[in-house]
Amino acid sequence: MTVALDTDTAVRRLRDGMAGGVLSFPLTSFHDDGTLDPDGLRTHVAERLAARPGAVFPACGTGEFFSLDEDEYRTVVTVTVQEAAGRLPVVAGIGYGWAQAVRFARIAEEAGADALLVLPHYLVAAPQEGLVRQLERIASATSLPLIAYQRGQVAFSAGSLRRIAALPTVVGLKDGHCDLDRLQRLTLAAPEGFLFFNGAATAEIQARAYAAVGVPAYSSAVHAFAPEIANHFFAALRDGDDKTVERLLRDFYVPFVELRDRVPGYAVSLVKAAARLRGSPVGPVRAPLTDPSDADLADLHALLATGLDLVGAAL
């Protein structure tokens, strides 16, 4: 088994990875009958790693964590750890209530993950005290570094951020709210060295705005199917090439978001369909998600061809 990184090493490697590439959130491969496809998963993860992301996050939102049972989750994390082979950090998703999140955390730790992304808890709204206690419970049950994810019903105040950041193994926050006023307050409240991630849907759309408040690192769903586009955009953003950034936003990312917004769940379904168009063996989505319609697939195919052409790549 690959030995997980200690907290300080995991944070250092995550910080280095964030500076050098996008954060990759691989898809989870299923057979046509809906069962897990470990071989397809291994191929897909290997393809993502070959595209040199800064870190890899298996079994998160894009990886359909919400549809996996514990045995499947163990396989997903284990395969990813094996393929990464210590070359970059592996951050596994955990979630639901704290008791179930702890069960997944222990599985991820046994599988060799280096850190955990704590996805928003299930269903209910909660006060700030409850959000803090949720992280405290999880942190007390695993030695792995934790990254909190605020999205949906989870939104930390500056005071709560200070409290969770004081926990020895809570090392970062991923934000999916796109509330830059709140996010700026959080970055200013955080201790030095605390990690922040842009976790907006199709994060490239918000990347310049997030960077302006001190959060340049971001997750890229596009990396799951078109790393050529994702890496080209990342390099242009890093190098201050506004002309290229705006061309990719205008001609690829904005049309992709408009297509994504046609149907609930397309944030995952379109990504998976695009990966299939590129030949990656990821299979269909699981219910309650649905695969794109034929008409939407045709539009996706045309848009993907356009995006790849913009960066000198082919479908």
Side-chain angles (χ1 to χ4, degrees):
M1 176 186 296
T2 301
V3 177
L5 306 175
D6 63 79
T7 297
D8 289 342
T9 301
V11 169
R12 176 180 57 77
R13 292 192 67 195
L14 277 168
R15 184 178 293 111
D16 290 346
M18 290 158 53
V22 300
L23 307 176
S24 180
F25 285 67
L27 300 155
T28 298
S29 297
F30 300 120
H31 294 292
D32 288 342
D33 64 359
T35 57
L36 186 68
D37 177 7
D39 293 335
L41 171 68
R42 189 176 297 278
T43 297
H44 175 69
V45 170
E47 292 169 347
R48 297 318 99 206
L49 296 175
R52 301 173 63 185
V56 61
F57 289 67
C60 294
T62 306
E64 297 178 79
F65 167 79
F66 52 85
S67 77
L68 301 175
D69 67 28
E70 291 182 10
D71 289 338
E72 292 169 332
Y73 176 85
R74 183 186 303 276
T75 298
V76 169
V77 178
T78 298
V79 166
T80 306
V81 169
Q82 289 171 346
E83 289 301 311
R87 291 175 289 167
L88 77 176
V90 175
V91 185
I94 62 173
Y96 304 115
W98 66 261
Q100 188 64 45
V102 165
R103 291 175 65 92
F104 281 106
R106 289 171 178 160
I107 293 169
E109 191 165 2
E110 292 168 1
D114 299 303
L116 302 169
L117 178 65
V118 184
L119 302 169
H121 63 266
Y122 172 69
L123 189 61
V124 297
Q128 291 295 311
E129 182 65 26
L131 298 181
V132 172
R133 290 184 184 180
Q134 167 95 336
L135 265 295
E136 288 175 340
R137 286 281 195 171
I138 297 169
S140 70
T142 177
S143 63
L144 291 181
L146 302 175
I147 299 166
Y149 188 5
Q150 63 169 21
R151 188 169 183 164
Q153 70 270 34
V154 176
F156 292 98
S157 67
S160 295
L161 188 281
R162 293 188 190 97
R163 290 178 64 188
I164 65 171
L167 298 170
T169 56
V170 176
V171 302
L173 178 76
K174 182 182 180 186
D175 175 75
H177 282 295
C178 306
D179 181 340
L180 297 181
D181 178 282
R182 175 188 289 271
L183 185 59
Q184 184 71 92
R185 294 167 189 262
L186 295 179
T187 61
L188 294 172
E192 183 178 358
F194 197 74
L195 304 176
F196 283 91
F197 307 83
N198 168 2
T202 316
E204 287 89 347
I205 293 287
Q206 304 283 352
R208 288 194 291 190
Y210 270 77
V213 296
V215 185
Y218 61 90
S219 57
S220 176
V222 171
H223 193 271
F225 64 87
E228 304 97 325
I229 299 173
N231 290 342
H232 202 89
F233 182 92
F234 178 87
L237 185 68
R238 178 196 59 202
D239 297 341
D241 183 356
D242 289 337
K243 183 177 180 181
T244 296
V245 166
E246 288 168 8
R247 183 174 69 250
L248 287 170
L249 287 173
R250 181 180 57 250
D251 296 339
F252 175 75
Y253 282 100
V254 169
F256 181 77
V257 168
E258 290 171 349
L259 181 55
R260 181 200 73 196
D261 289 348
R262 288 182 187 176
V263 177
Y266 265 18
V268 177
S269 300
L270 276 184
V271 172
K272 213 164 198 184
R276 292 195 301 272
L277 287 173
R278 301 296 306 282
S280 192
V282 295
V285 293
R286 274 182 172 172
L289 300 181
T290 58
D291 289 310
S293 68
D294 289 344
D296 290 343
L297 277 175
D299 289 345
L300 176 63
H301 187 279
L303 178 59
L304 182 54
T306 295
L308 290 167
D309 184 65
L310 286 171
V311 299
L315 185 60

